[in-house]
């Protein structure tokens, strides 16, 4: 759901087409499932009329988890060989932009790289995504650090534990996404604030 009535109308029109699209994929043998996120949240779960609050993300996580549990061989159900690829209803982002940046590091023979992208930006706020990729060997954990150069701050995050000391920011994996096979990737994201500029920082990724 979106607070802006025009955007909400467009989202509902788009969402109405999704069940048929998903069913056509199922009919052709694809293992996809529809998870209706629109019905799980209300506009009270939005921090800025577009992006979810922490409570909103909790509701979304619960919906994903419940959907995954219904699929044989998926999360919590051993014996399967593949996981489903649910198709969520999208939430548009105001003034999106993307500026990737990556920096590999390889202490102790383990390595990883991280790429930073601004996926949405609006007055006073932005959303960013960071993709962490393991190097030539498997890793058990990762830490990504950077220094904001324009006074940005992280206000909310997911799929990582993020701490800050002044402009210095450190993001560490959570329990379920620290172990990565060689060349495998995971992604975390956050909402942030900015004032006047929103430059892309240089990242350092360390792995164990």
């Amino acid at each position: 759901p979106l607070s802006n009535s025009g955007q909400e109308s467009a989202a509902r029109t788009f969402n109405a087409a999704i069940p048929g699209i998903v069913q056509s994929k199922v009919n052709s043998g694809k293992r996809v499932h529809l998870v209706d996120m629109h019905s799980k949240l209300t506009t009270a779960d939005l921090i800025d009329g577009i992006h979810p609050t922490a409570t909103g993300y909790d509701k979304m996580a619960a919906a994903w988890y419940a959907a995954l549990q219904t699929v044989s061989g998926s999360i919590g159900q051993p014996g399967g060989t593949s996981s489903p690829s649910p198709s969520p209803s999208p939430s548009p982002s105001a003034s999106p932009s993307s500026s990737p940046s990556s920096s590999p590091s390889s202490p102790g023979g383990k390595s990883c790289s991280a790429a930073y992208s601004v996926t949405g930006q609006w007055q006073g706020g932005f959303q960013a995504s960071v993709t962490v990729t393991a190097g030539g060997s498997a890793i058990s954990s990762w830490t990504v650090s950077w220094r904001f150069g324009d006074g940005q701050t992280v206000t909310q995050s997911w799929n990582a534990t993020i701490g800050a000391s002044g402009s210095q920011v450190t993001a560490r994996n959570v329990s379920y996404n620290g172990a990565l096979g060689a060349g495998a990737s995971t992604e975390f994201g956050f909402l942030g604030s900015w004032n006047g500029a929103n430059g892309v920082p240089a990242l350092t990724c360390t792995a164990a």
Side-chain angles (χ1 to χ4, degrees):
L2 300 165
S3 293
N4 180 282
S5 59
Q7 291 180 331
E8 172 64 7
S9 177
R12 286 179 178 271
T13 299
F14 183 88
N15 289 347
I18 294 179
I21 295 172
V22 173
Q23 188 59 51
S24 70
K25 300 297 183 182
V26 172
N27 293 344
S28 66
K30 303 296 183 181
R31 295 187 178 187
V32 294
H33 302 264
L34 176 64
V35 181
D36 179 8
M37 286 294 171
H38 191 281
S39 66
K40 305 303 182 185
L41 277 69
T42 69
T43 54
D45 297 311
L46 307 177
I47 195 170
D48 56 3
I50 298 175
H51 302 87
T53 61
T55 299
Y57 279 115
D58 285 345
K59 291 181 179 180
M60 292 175 69
W64 278 117
Y65 186 68
L68 287 167
Q69 286 186 308
T70 68
V71 180
S72 178
S74 186
I75 186 170
Q77 298 186 26
T81 58
S82 64
S83 296
S85 301
S87 302
S89 301
S91 293
S93 194
S95 303
S97 62
S98 179
S99 301
S101 173
S102 63
S103 175
S105 180
S106 55
K110 302 289 185 178
S111 66
C112 60
S113 62
Y116 181 112
S117 294
V118 176
T119 57
Q121 184 169 296
W122 55 96
Q123 184 61 42
F126 71 99
Q127 180 171 335
S129 174
V130 178
T131 301
V132 179
T133 304
S137 58
I139 63 175
S140 60
S141 64
W142 49 262
T143 300
V144 178
S145 59
W146 67 89
R147 183 179 296 277
F148 279 131
D150 299 314
Q152 303 100 316
T153 59
V154 175
T155 58
Q156 188 178 134
S157 64
W158 52 93
N159 294 339
T161 300
I162 298 182
S165 177
S167 61
Q168 184 66 40
V169 181
T170 302
R172 294 182 171 85
N173 65 271
V174 288
S175 60
Y176 53 82
N177 65 357
L180 297 173
S185 298
T186 189
E187 183 178 355
F188 68 90
F190 62 89
L191 297 180
S193 64
W194 66 286
N195 184 15
N198 190 22
V200 173
L203 306 184
T204 299
C205 187
T206 56

